[in-house]
C-alpha cells in the first residue's frame, strides 16, 4: 500500500473496508493520486501506463509473448527504484495462484510498480483479496484485473479429488477446497473433455464473475468503463497465457 496515503478515510478503508462509503473512498483515492503524481518522475511513469482496460490487457499479452519467446525487455531496476519509493501506479492487477512456478511479473514481462498482485493457492476471491483489489482499482487506478489460473494446479486438483472421492484434507488446506467448491463443483457434472481442465477453467470463470458482481466499488468502475475483469490460464510447460 502506498506510504503517501495521507487521507484518514483512505487509511480507515485500508484497515476496515466496510467503514467508509464509496464516495469517501474515491475521494481519498483522488487525493492520493493527486499527491503521488506531483513529482516529475511519477508524471512520466503515469503517462506511459496503459490508460484503458483494453490497453492494459494488450500490454499484458504483448509482454507474455516476449516471455514465451524468451525476449524480455532490458531493464535497469536501480534507475526506477527511487521513483517507486515515492509512489506506485500499477496499470493492472492479477489475482493469481501462490504456486512458485507462476510469477506474474515475469510471465507478463513487467517491471516492479506495473502490477498489483494478489496471490492465494487456487486463485480464488477472499475477503482480504477483494479489499486489496478494490484498493488497487479504486485508489491506485488499475485498469484491469486478471484472474490467472494455471495448468497442473494442486489446489484445483485437490478440490476435484475431495469432491469426487470425499477425501479429507488436513488442517486449513480443507478450507481451500471448501472455498473453491462453488466454482468447481458444477464442472464435475458436465461431460466431455478432461475433468481437470473443466475444473480449472470453471474456477477462473467463477471468480471473474464474483469480482464483476460482488463488489460495489468494482462494479461501479466497470460500469464507468475504467475497469475490466478478465480470466486466463497460464501453461506451465510453455509459459503462454490463454485468455478465457
Amino acid at each position: 500500500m502506498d506510504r503517501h496515503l495521507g487521507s484518514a478515510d483512505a487509511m480507515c478503508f485500508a484497515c476496515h473496508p466496510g467503514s467508509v462509503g464509496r464516495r469517501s473512498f474515491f475521494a481519498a483515492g483522488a487525493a492520493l493520486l493527486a499527491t503521488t503524481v506531483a513529482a516529475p518522475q511519477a508524471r512520466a511513469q503515469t503517462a506511459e501506463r496503459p490508460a484503458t482496460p483494453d490497453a492494459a490487457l494488450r500490454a499484458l499479452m504483448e509482454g507474455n509473448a516476449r516471455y514465451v519467446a524468451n525476449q524480455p525487455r532490458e531493464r535497469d531496476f536501480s534507475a526506477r527504484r527511487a521513483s517507486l519509493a515515492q509512489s506506485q501506479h500499477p496499470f493492472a492487477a492479477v489475482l493469481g495462484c501462490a504456486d512458485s512456478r507462476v510469477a506474474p511479473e515475469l510471465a507478463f514481462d513487467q517491471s516492479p510498480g506495473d502490477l498489483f498482485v494478489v496471490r492465494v493457492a487456487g486463485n480464488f476471491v477472499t475477503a482480504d483479496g477483494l479489499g486489496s483489489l478494490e484498493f488497487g482499482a479504486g485508489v491506485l487506478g488499475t485498469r484491469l484485473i486478471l484472474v490467472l489460473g494455471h495448468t497442473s494446479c494442486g489446489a484445483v486438483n485437490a478440490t476435484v479429488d475431495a469432491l469426487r472421492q470425499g477425501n479429507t484434507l488436513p488442517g486449513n488446506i480443507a478450507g481451500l477446497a471448501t472455498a473453491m467448491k462453488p466454482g468447481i463443483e458444477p464442472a464435475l457434472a458436465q461431460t466431455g473433455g478432461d475433468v481437470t481442465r473443466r475444473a480449472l477453467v470453471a474456477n477462473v470463470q467463477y471468480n471473474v464473475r464474483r469480482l464483476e458482481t460482488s463488489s460495489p466499488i468494482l462494479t461501479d468502475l466497470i460500469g464507468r468503463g475504467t475497469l475490466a475483469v478478465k480470466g486466463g490460464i497460464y501453461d506451465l510447460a510453455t509459459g503462454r497465457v490463454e485468455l478465457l
Side-chain angles (χ1 to χ4, degrees):
M1 195 171 294
D2 199 296
R3 71 181 183 89
H4 279 66
L5 186 56
S7 163
D9 278 349
M11 288 297 290
C12 184
F13 177 85
C15 298
H16 306 287
S19 62
V20 296
R22 277 183 291 166
R23 180 175 301 176
S24 297
F25 175 61
F26 285 117
L32 170 65
L33 291 176
T35 300
T36 56
V37 300
Q41 288 176 314
R43 283 201 299 268
Q45 180 184 352
T46 304
E48 297 171 359
R49 72 197 293 266
T52 67
D54 286 345
L57 182 60
R58 186 163 56 251
L60 288 187
M61 297 311 293
E62 289 174 352
N64 181 243
R66 292 192 300 270
Y67 173 73
V68 171
N70 199 28
Q71 297 177 341
R73 294 178 297 187
E74 293 187 7
R75 293 176 176 84
D76 180 355
F77 292 105
S78 62
R80 197 178 178 193
R81 200 169 288 143
S83 64
L84 287 175
Q86 301 303 314
S87 63
Q88 60 170 320
H89 304 276
F91 70 85
V94 176
L95 173 58
C97 184
D99 194 293
S100 63
R101 298 165 293 181
V102 186
E105 289 86 354
L106 297 179
F108 294 108
D109 191 31
Q110 300 300 320
S111 298
D114 291 335
L115 301 182
F116 194 74
V117 180
V118 175
R119 299 179 69 169
V120 61
N123 47 269
F124 61 90
V125 178
T126 66
D128 293 337
L130 180 57
S132 296
L133 294 169
E134 287 175 337
F135 184 85
V139 176
L140 300 180
T142 55
R143 300 305 187 192
L144 175 75
I145 300 175
L146 180 67
V147 180
L148 186 64
H150 67 91
T151 57
S152 301
C153 180
V156 170
N157 293 343
T159 302
V160 170
D161 289 343
L163 291 174
R164 297 178 78 186
Q165 303 171 20
N167 293 350
T168 300
L169 298 171
N172 290 307
I173 298 175
L176 298 177
T178 299
M180 296 170 68
K181 176 181 176 180
I184 291 178
E185 190 170 40
L188 304 186
Q190 300 171 2
T191 58
D194 177 65
V195 65
T196 302
R197 168 71 182 183
R198 293 202 308 269
L200 179 64
V201 171
N203 183 54
V204 170
Q205 292 175 332
Y206 176 80
N207 285 284
V208 168
R209 291 193 297 271
R210 282 200 65 191
L211 290 174
E212 289 176 330
T213 60
S214 299
S215 163
I217 291 173
L218 299 184
T219 300
D220 186 27
L221 292 170
I222 292 169
R224 297 185 192 186
T226 60
L227 176 72
V229 183
K230 302 292 183 181
I233 303 292
Y234 175 88
D235 189 283
L236 289 180
T238 66
R240 189 180 303 280
V241 173
E242 172 194 356
L243 294 178
L244 300 177

